[in-house]
Amino acid sequence: MERPQLTERVGFLTNKTAALLIQVVEERLSPLGLTSRPYFVLAGIDQPEPLSQQALSRLLGIDPTTMVGLIDELERSGLVRRVRNTRDRRRYDIELSEAGARTLATAHAAVAAAEEEFFAPLTGAQRADYQDALGRLLDGRWPPP
Amino acid sequence: MERPQLTERVGFLTNKTAALLIQVVEERLSPLGLTSRPYFVLAGIDQPEPLSQQALSRLLGIDPTTMVGLIDELERSGLVRRVRNTRDRRRYDIELSEAGARTLATAHAAVAAAEEEFFAPLTGAQRADYQDALGRLLDGRWPPP
DNA sequence: TATTGTTATACTCTATAACTATA
DNA sequence: TATAGTTATAGAGTATAACAATA
């Protein structure tokens, strides 16, 4: 490949696509008073087993020191609670409140609508292939060990 | 979709994939003293017709005020030149120097190697489909009008 | 000794507004 | 008037180091 154009660089295209998709998602989330980051945090909290802040940090790839402020903000808004883990009292279990669960459900619907809009140019099969490719690329690389 | 897991959110997966790919690309670029941003700028400059700073900003989605500093840095390193456009003396044509062209060629090779590494989990056909999907998603959305 | 959460700090990237020179 | 580039500035996001409480 002698002098490839930027437009052919799959790395650049991947980036651009991610940036444009985030933009559409944030437009849909803004009426809820959310940006994508706290939305991802809420979605990450909604697991069968409660996670500590550090586990959440690793899962989402957000620095633990940044996570402190994000959880602070969500706690101030009444969407999550910090509950001391009884077996390891250094940890907090981060839990969704009732309001948090309701907000997350609304947010999920908004994001699903954004994704429908963004992926409209693909057929159902193409979109399935795309999502499958992402799964293969992330396998073994994420979530982190 | 009642309570989707984060792992199934195509928006989140797209983001994670882009972030991990950038990471691999930056590992390969760091021996050249480059991060992905100035690399993208160099690659954007390497067009048949020279671009102004603002045209570059629009192409790459980088704020014009941020572009000033990026071009400053590349100019200081001797990789690009600012040349006044003769027909519109408000504009600069941003041009690659000889050294810039050599650095860009080396960087392209490094990034191509990073992409090979990152996309190894996909077959050739899967990768072609993936790239094709990105093309469809970006069509009409990027480059900007 | 090591780990969880926290604070302080600095650095980068981004966004806004105002300026200059040109159109 | 409007546009290209610049500067100053403030706001996010991220990373590093150090600390208290706990393991």
Side-chain angles (χ1 to χ4, degrees), chain B residues 10-49:
Chain B
V10 65
F12 183 80
L13 298 180
T14 298
N15 251 276
K16 255 303 169 231
T17 302
L20 289 170
L21 176 50
I22 275 290
Q23 200 175 307
V24 176
V25 164
E26 301 222 325
E27 280 164 17
R28 299 267 189 166
L29 283 177
S30 73
L32 301 173
L34 284 177
T35 60
S36 57
R37 291 172 64 78
Y39 161 70
F40 286 142
V41 172
L42 285 178
I45 290 168
D46 188 29
Q47 308 266 152
E49 295 299 314

Side-chain angles (χ1 to χ4, degrees), chain A residues 11-29:
Chain A
F12 183 80
L13 298 179
T14 298
N15 252 277
K16 255 304 169 230
T17 302
L20 289 170
L21 175 51
I22 275 290
Q23 202 175 307
V24 175
V25 165
E26 301 223 325
E27 279 164 17
R28 299 267 188 167
L29 283 177

Side-chain angles (χ1 to χ4, degrees), chain A residues 3-72:
Chain A
R3 293 179 66 171
Q5 285 306 104
L6 201 51
T7 309
E8 301 157 15
R9 277 258 88 99
V10 66
F12 183 80
L13 298 179
T14 298
N15 252 277
K16 255 304 169 230
T17 302
L20 289 170
L21 175 51
I22 275 290
Q23 202 175 307
V24 175
V25 165
E26 301 223 325
E27 279 164 17
R28 299 267 188 167
L29 283 177
S30 74
L32 302 173
L34 284 176
T35 59
S36 55
R37 290 171 65 77
Y39 161 70
F40 287 142
V41 173
L42 286 178
I45 290 169
D46 188 29
Q47 308 267 152
E49 296 298 315
L51 298 178
S52 68
Q53 287 185 198
Q54 301 234 0
L56 211 46
S57 298
R58 278 190 298 273
L59 180 70
L60 299 175
I62 295 172
D63 194 88
T65 62
T66 306
M67 188 58 72
V68 175
L70 282 166
I71 301 290
D72 280 352

Side-chain angles (χ1 to χ4, degrees), chain B residues 71-140:
Chain B
I71 301 292
D72 279 352
E73 179 63 27
L74 292 171
E75 199 175 32
R76 219 175 298 130
S77 308
L79 303 180
V80 310
R81 280 186 299 267
R82 281 178 166 100
V83 181
R84 278 290 177 197
N85 183 300
T86 49
R87 284 182 302 183
D88 182 346
R89 293 188 44 73
R90 293 173 302 182
R91 300 188 184 201
Y92 288 119
D93 292 334
I94 311 298
E95 298 177 353
L96 278 182
S97 68
E98 291 280 323
R102 278 197 306 274
T103 297
L104 177 57
T106 311
H108 270 317
V111 172
E115 290 176 353
E116 286 313 309
E117 175 189 337
F118 190 78
F119 287 97
L122 300 188
T123 66
Q126 286 168 340
R127 179 167 167 178
D129 285 348
Y130 172 80
Q131 200 151 347
D132 180 68
L134 295 184
R136 286 176 200 277
L137 292 172
L138 289 175
D139 186 42

Side-chain angles (χ1 to χ4, degrees), chain A residues 105-127:
Chain A
T106 311
H108 270 317
V111 172
E115 290 175 352
E116 287 312 309
E117 175 189 338
F118 190 78
F119 287 97
L122 300 188
T123 67
Q126 286 168 340
R127 179 168 168 176

